[in-house]
């Protein structure tokens, strides 16, 4: 049976590919998409989710907007990586996407989706964890309707937004703390894993060779993403962070996992937002989080290319 999934995201170039993968693969039942401020403002990330679904011919998946700022502190965006629109690179055109925004807010859509589905649902957040934390606080009675949380965020090592903190966690450390301490099963894919899946020139050429409108859009996305990662971080190819979450749901053998205690640093002057991952059990804290480690990169890219191929026949730019 396919895994029922709600994507909570902040598109974002890598989020766009995660939407495509979740919609294309028969092992996943994409029930809903909710958006959060992160890579860009909430207005832009919500528009981008609609743009991606419109361009890929993804219909019937409701898209609802969530929180536009963190629980505490200032809002951050990643314009230096994702551009002014949050999806710079492709020419989406000036018109409105033909996939509408759901009138419900994200928390209501998550609630309604959990209640309507006959089986527990997996939450896949790939942006700041604000929506998920607020939902867990507002609806503790629905915890049993959540199978697990599979997130992109954090790292077993150094960060990318600060030397210690990864961007998604730094955007809302208090929300991340709530999620990791929720008692629900959590699987974390951090930078230590996602930096292994870089969109090399060979990968981009495989996607370009598909020759569809959607593959052309994907090449434009990756070309822009490569330029900013080269300028900001000196990477020779950009890591496609977020789709590692859905790839794991499709094929759990793609990424090795270790069980560890994960704590979010809330107060450090230089380390706020860091995920402290106790790989060696030295703290004595319970090891309750599955942490992604080694990735089968070839298998990962095979899934991405096949998703673009599958959706390419009905694609058209919005």
């Amino acid at each position: 049976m396919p895994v029922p999934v709600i994507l909570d995201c902040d598109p974002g170039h890598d989020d766009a590919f995660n939407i495509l993968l979740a919609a294309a693969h028969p092992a996943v039942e994409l029930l809903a998409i909710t958006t959060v401020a992160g890579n860009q403002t909430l207005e832009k990330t919500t528009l981008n989710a609609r743009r991606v679904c419109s361009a890929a011919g993804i219909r019937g998946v409701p898209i609802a907007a969530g929180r536009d700022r963190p629980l505490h502190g200032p809002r951050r965006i990643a314009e230096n990586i994702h551009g002014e629109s949050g999806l710079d690179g492709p020419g989406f055109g000036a018109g409105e996407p033909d996939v509408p925004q759901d009138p419900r807010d994200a928390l209501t859509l998550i609630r309604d989706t959990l209640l309507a589905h006959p089986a527990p649902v997996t939450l896949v957040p790939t942006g700041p964890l604000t929506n998920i934390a607020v939902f867990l606080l507002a609806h503790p009675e629905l915890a049993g309707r959540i199978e697990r949380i599979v997130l992109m965020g954090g790292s077993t090592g150094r960060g990318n937004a600060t030397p210690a903190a990864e961007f998604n966690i730094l955007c809302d450390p208090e929300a991340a703390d709530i999620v990791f301490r929720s008692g629900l099963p959590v699987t974390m894919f951090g930078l230590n894993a996602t930096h292994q899946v870089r969109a090399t020139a060979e990968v981009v050429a495989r996607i370009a060779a598909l020759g569809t409108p959607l593959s052309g859009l994907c090449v434009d996305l990756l070309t822009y993403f490569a330029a900013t990662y080269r300028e900001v971080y000196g990477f020779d190819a950009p890591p496609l962070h977020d789709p590692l979450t859905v790839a794991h749901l499709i094929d759990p053998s793609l990424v090795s996992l270790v069980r560890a205690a994960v704590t979010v640093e809330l107060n450090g002057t230089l380390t706020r937002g860091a995920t402290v991952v106790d790989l060696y059990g030295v703290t004595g804290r319970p090891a309750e989080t599955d942490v992604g480690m080694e990735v089968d990169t070839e298998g990962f890219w095979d899934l991405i290319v096949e998703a673009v191929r599958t959706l390419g026949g009905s694609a058209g730019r919005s």
Side-chain angles (χ1 to χ4, degrees):
M1 296 292 291
V3 179
V5 162
I6 298 172
L7 288 187
D8 184 71
C9 56
D10 60 338
H13 293 68
D14 46 340
D15 303 84
F17 282 88
N18 205 31
I19 292 171
L20 299 180
L21 184 58
H25 203 283
V28 174
E29 181 185 7
L30 181 56
L31 301 175
I33 297 170
T34 54
T35 59
V36 66
N39 287 327
Q40 256 297 350
T41 63
L42 179 65
E43 179 182 15
K44 292 179 180 180
T45 62
T46 306
L47 176 61
N48 287 342
R50 296 171 57 213
R51 281 173 163 166
V52 171
C53 288
S54 295
I58 300 168
R59 304 287 186 266
V61 178
I63 300 171
R67 295 300 170 119
D68 68 349
R69 63 194 64 249
L71 298 178
H72 303 287
R75 181 174 60 192
R76 297 172 179 269
I77 60 171
E79 188 166 309
N80 62 328
I81 299 297
H82 297 278
E84 184 179 355
S85 73
L87 274 184
D88 277 13
F92 282 105
E96 277 286 299
D98 59 16
V99 171
Q101 180 176 332
D102 195 281
R104 291 169 288 185
D105 61 66
L107 270 63
T108 303
L109 178 56
I110 294 172
R111 182 201 66 192
D112 292 351
T113 304
L114 293 182
L115 289 173
H117 200 272
V121 173
T122 296
L123 304 184
V124 181
T126 58
L129 290 163
T130 315
N131 287 342
I132 305 303
V134 173
F135 182 83
L136 295 177
L137 293 176
H139 293 288
E141 76 283 2
L142 294 180
R145 303 298 305 158
I146 299 171
E147 179 72 21
R148 58 194 286 217
I149 298 172
V150 179
L151 64 90
M152 189 277 132
S155 179
T156 62
R158 297 179 69 82
N160 62 354
T162 72
E166 180 272 333
F167 176 79
N168 285 344
I169 306 298
L170 183 63
C171 279
D172 199 337
E174 283 75 18
D177 178 59
I178 290 167
V179 170
F180 279 105
R181 292 192 299 105
S182 67
L184 291 166
V186 174
T187 302
M188 167 184 141
F189 294 102
L191 300 178
N192 59 292
T194 65
H195 280 179
Q196 298 172 50
V197 288
R198 301 192 186 188
T200 63
E202 291 76 15
V203 166
V204 176
R206 287 181 65 188
I207 294 173
L210 298 175
T212 65
L214 182 61
S215 71
L217 183 147
C218 289
V219 168
D220 291 346
L221 285 171
L222 291 174
T223 300
Y224 182 89
F225 205 36
T228 59
Y229 255 86
R230 186 164 50 248
E231 178 180 350
V232 175
Y233 296 116
F235 280 29
D236 56 357
L240 207 66
H241 308 278
D242 295 342
L244 209 52
T245 56
V246 169
H248 162 74
L249 295 177
I250 293 168
D251 183 357
S253 71
L254 287 178
V255 189
S256 66
L257 303 175
V258 298
R259 184 66 65 90
V262 177
T263 307
V264 179
E265 175 57 56
L266 301 180
N267 300 308
T269 303
L270 299 177
T271 57
R272 175 170 163 81
T275 45
V276 181
V277 183
D278 184 10
L279 293 175
Y280 305 111
V282 297
T283 64
R285 297 190 180 98
E288 297 176 333
T289 301
D290 288 319
V291 180
M293 299 298 286
E294 298 300 322
V295 182
D296 173 0
T297 56
E298 185 175 343
F300 170 84
W301 286 113
D302 286 346
L303 286 179
I304 295 295
V305 173
E306 185 57 31
V308 178
R309 184 196 312 275
T310 298
L311 296 171
S314 59
R317 299 195 181 186
S318 58

